[in-house]
């Protein structure tokens, strides 16, 4: 599940910024590292947190 508070901060940064790259920069991570941490978080909780495409990132449904 959640490895640390920094994973939650990264999730919130991605949500607020609307971009993994922007959130990574804000969190002083590479985009690749942020993406891997997000995927690990999603694997840990067993749910996808964002719909991703090459042009957009949006949160999944809360249902």
């Amino acid at each position: 599940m959640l490895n640390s508070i920094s994973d939650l901060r990264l999730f919130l940064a991605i949500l607020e910024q609307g971009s993994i790259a922007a959130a990574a920069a804000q969190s002083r991570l590479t985009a690749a590292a942020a993406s891997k941490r997000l995927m690990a978080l999603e694997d840990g909780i067993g749910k996808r947190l964002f719909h991703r495409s090459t042009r957009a990132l949006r949160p999944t449904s809360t249902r």
Side-chain angles (χ1 to χ4, degrees):
M1 284 203 140
L2 213 57
N3 291 330
S4 68
I5 194 75
S6 63
D7 290 337
L8 183 55
R9 285 187 180 131
L10 178 61
F11 167 76
L12 291 173
I14 294 168
L15 187 62
E16 290 171 355
Q17 297 293 323
S19 160
I20 293 173
Q26 177 184 327
S27 302
R28 297 185 177 142
L29 297 168
T30 65
S35 181
K36 285 181 184 179
R37 284 181 53 188
L38 176 60
M39 287 190 296
L41 177 61
E42 290 174 328
D43 286 345
I45 63 173
K47 288 206 173 230
R48 218 71 201 201
L49 297 172
F50 294 98
H51 295 288
R52 299 169 186 75
S53 73
T54 55
R55 297 182 186 253
L57 178 116
R58 59 186 174 85
T60 56
S61 174
T62 57
R63 293 183 203 180

